[in-house]
């Protein structure tokens, strides 16, 4: 899925730029054009992200080629026979490799299942938010922006974004670690010549690490706040209408 993101950006950016230029040329009071443009961009996002998720999931399931960023124990190649390095960087520089790029096929079924499930959960979380945006735009264009169904869809989208991202990152992290174990872990080796390595292995050793990104969680919280604000506004509007009706009845 990550390998397809540059292509998605190349396809989305021209459409986005053209849409922004179109909206800027419209009148400031013409909100319909802005809403319609937003809905089109959301649909494009659903199609592109959904397609990339399906491709990545299918590639993992059918045992296709997978390219992963595998966390490893801090590592740096040692070359005992090297001397008189030019230029001299001094003694304050410490270099470490903590991630390696692994392109592998024939991974285990459990590893491929974890990677596919992680990609699927992460992609569906984003699609859920885009679906909520499309629903809101449709209701705005229909003149019915506030409804109980919209509130439910907003809450579901926030929960899907938070839980889907968390589950997807966890499954992807576990699957990546298993892929590192299958491709990098070596139980023993024999050296030739006079080379001596101070570490456990002359090459990177896989490490268990899950990279959690909290930006989607903050976005989910922001969506929940907006939904609750809309809910409070709707309740106040109903109370005002009830008070106005009671006042008119007394008069």
């Amino acid at each position: 899925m990550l390998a397809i993101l540059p292509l998605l950006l190349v396809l989305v950016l021209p459409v986005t730029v053209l849409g922004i230029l179109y909206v800027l040329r419209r009148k400031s009071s013409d909100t319909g054009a802005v809403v319609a443009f937003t809905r089109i961009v959301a649909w494009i996002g659903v199609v592109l992200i959904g397609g990339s998720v399906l491709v990545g999931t299918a590639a993992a399931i059918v045992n296709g080629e997978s390219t992963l960023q595998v966390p490893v124990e801090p590592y740096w190649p040692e070359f005992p026979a090297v001397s008189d390095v030019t230029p001299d960087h001094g003694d304050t520089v410490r270099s470490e490799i903590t991630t390696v790029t692994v392109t592998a096929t024939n991974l285990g079924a459990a590893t491929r299942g974890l990677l596919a499930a992680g990609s699927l959960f992460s992609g569906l979380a984003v699609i859920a938010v885009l679906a909520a945006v499309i629903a809101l735009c449709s209701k705005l264009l229909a003149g019915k922006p506030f409804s109980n169904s919209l509130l439910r869809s907003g809450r579901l989208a926030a929960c899907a974004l938070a839980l889907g991202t968390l589950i997807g990152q966890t499954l992807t992290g576990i699957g990546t670690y298993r892929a590192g174990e299958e491709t990098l872990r070596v139980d023993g080796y024999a050296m030739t010549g006079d080379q001596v390595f101070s570490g456990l292995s002359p090459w990177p050793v896989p490490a268990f690490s899950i990279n959690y990104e909290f930006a989607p969680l903050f976005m989910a919280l922001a969506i929940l706040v907006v939904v609750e604000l809309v809910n409070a506004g709707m309740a106040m509007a109903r109370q005002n209408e009830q008070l106005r009706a009671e006042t008119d009845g007394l008069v």
Side-chain angles (χ1 to χ4, degrees):
M1 182 177 177
L2 294 177
I4 306 177
L5 288 180
L7 177 60
L8 298 182
L9 292 177
V10 171
L11 295 175
V12 171
L13 283 178
V15 178
T16 305
V17 171
L18 292 176
I20 292 175
L21 293 176
Y22 171 76
V23 171
L24 291 176
R25 294 185 61 182
R26 305 285 294 185
K27 296 180 180 180
S28 59
S29 60
D30 190 2
T31 58
V34 178
V35 174
F37 168 71
T38 304
R39 186 171 63 174
I40 292 174
V41 173
W43 271 116
I44 294 175
V46 169
V47 173
L48 295 179
I49 295 176
S52 65
V53 169
L54 290 177
V55 171
T57 303
I61 292 176
V62 302
N63 204 12
E65 186 177 273
S66 300
T67 301
L68 307 168
Q69 298 293 326
V70 177
V72 296
E73 299 292 342
Y75 163 82
W76 190 256
E78 296 182 13
F79 304 98
V82 174
S83 62
D84 297 331
V85 178
T86 304
D88 185 6
H89 296 288
D91 298 330
T92 60
V93 177
R94 180 180 179 182
S95 301
E96 289 182 347
I97 296 174
T98 57
T99 304
V100 297
T101 301
V102 173
T103 301
T105 56
N106 297 323
L107 294 173
T111 301
R112 290 185 282 111
L114 287 169
L115 293 174
S119 176
L120 186 61
F121 271 98
S122 299
L124 291 179
V126 179
I127 291 176
V129 176
L130 293 176
V133 171
I134 293 172
L136 175 59
C137 292
S138 299
K139 289 184 178 296
L140 284 172
L141 293 176
K144 300 178 180 179
F146 304 113
S147 63
N148 292 328
S149 62
L150 181 62
L151 295 177
R152 287 194 298 270
S153 63
R155 291 167 180 168
L156 289 175
C159 294
L161 179 61
L163 295 178
T165 301
L166 181 63
I167 295 173
Q169 291 174 352
T170 302
L171 295 177
T172 300
I174 297 174
T176 301
Y177 170 71
R178 290 180 59 92
E181 287 287 330
E182 294 182 21
T183 56
L184 298 176
R185 179 72 66 180
V186 175
D187 296 329
Y189 60 92
M191 294 183 298
T192 58
D194 298 330
Q195 286 186 321
V196 177
F197 300 99
S198 59
L200 298 176
S201 173
W203 49 80
V205 177
F208 181 78
S209 176
I210 299 177
N211 182 26
Y212 288 108
E213 297 181 2
F214 294 99
L217 299 179
F218 296 147
M219 291 177 60
L221 291 177
I223 293 173
L224 282 178
V225 170
V226 172
V227 169
E228 294 305 323
L229 286 175
V230 172
N231 188 24
M234 291 173 59
M236 293 178 62
R238 288 193 295 266
Q239 291 177 358
N240 292 334
E241 292 178 358
Q242 185 177 359
L243 291 174
R244 187 179 301 109
E246 292 177 355
T247 303
D248 294 340
L250 292 176
V251 174

